[in-house]
Amino acid sequence: VENNAEKELVDLATLRLVRIYIEQKNYSEADRLLNSNPDNQFIGQYWEVKGDLALAKGELEQAKTAYKTARSGYEEYSTVPQILELKIADLAHIQIATMEAE
């Protein structure tokens, strides 16, 4: 990528494509795409999508870690989206329900 504007566009497109792969349950391809280093302004979104992928794969602790890292990334460059706070709260309920089911 030659300039910053192109890098931002590639980062944004990559995050959108990862979300599509998660919906398609193509987790290996989503993982592959998330191995890139996004521009700092996308770091919150990057970690949020990593959390979404971990949650989709049933990796609750990894999802929790990724969502908390996303929160920190958003705080550094913008405001934390309310949806991320809801994901973190929902994850706590999922973990409790999983423990009760065992």
Side-chain angles (χ1 to χ4, degrees):
V1 178
E2 293 181 21
N3 63 46
N4 197 39
E6 287 180 14
K7 171 81 168 103
E8 290 174 6
L9 186 58
V10 168
D11 287 343
L12 188 58
T14 298
L15 290 170
R16 289 184 180 179
L17 185 55
V18 168
R19 286 187 168 108
I20 291 169
Y21 285 141
I22 292 170
E23 286 297 316
Q24 295 175 339
K25 296 182 179 18
N26 189 347
Y27 304 139
S28 61
E29 196 60 28
D31 268 329
R32 186 185 69 75
L33 288 177
L34 285 173
N35 283 328
S36 63
N37 293 320
D39 191 64
N40 284 341
Q41 72 179 8
F42 293 106
I43 201 72
Q45 291 178 42
Y46 170 82
W47 282 101
E48 182 178 354
V49 171
K50 276 188 89 84
D52 293 345
L53 176 59
L55 183 59
K57 292 166 54 177
E59 300 169 346
L60 302 182
E61 283 303 314
Q62 291 89 334
K64 180 180 176 181
T65 300
Y67 287 151
K68 288 184 176 185
T69 304
R71 182 192 289 151
S72 297
Y74 279 119
E75 287 172 345
E76 189 169 339
Y77 293 96
S78 63
T79 59
V80 177
Q82 186 65 32
I83 189 73
L84 178 61
E85 296 296 347
L86 292 173
K87 288 177 183 181
I88 292 169
D90 286 347
L91 186 58
H93 295 322
I94 292 169
Q95 288 178 311
I96 290 168
T98 301
M99 289 180 352
E100 289 175 354
E102 293 175 352

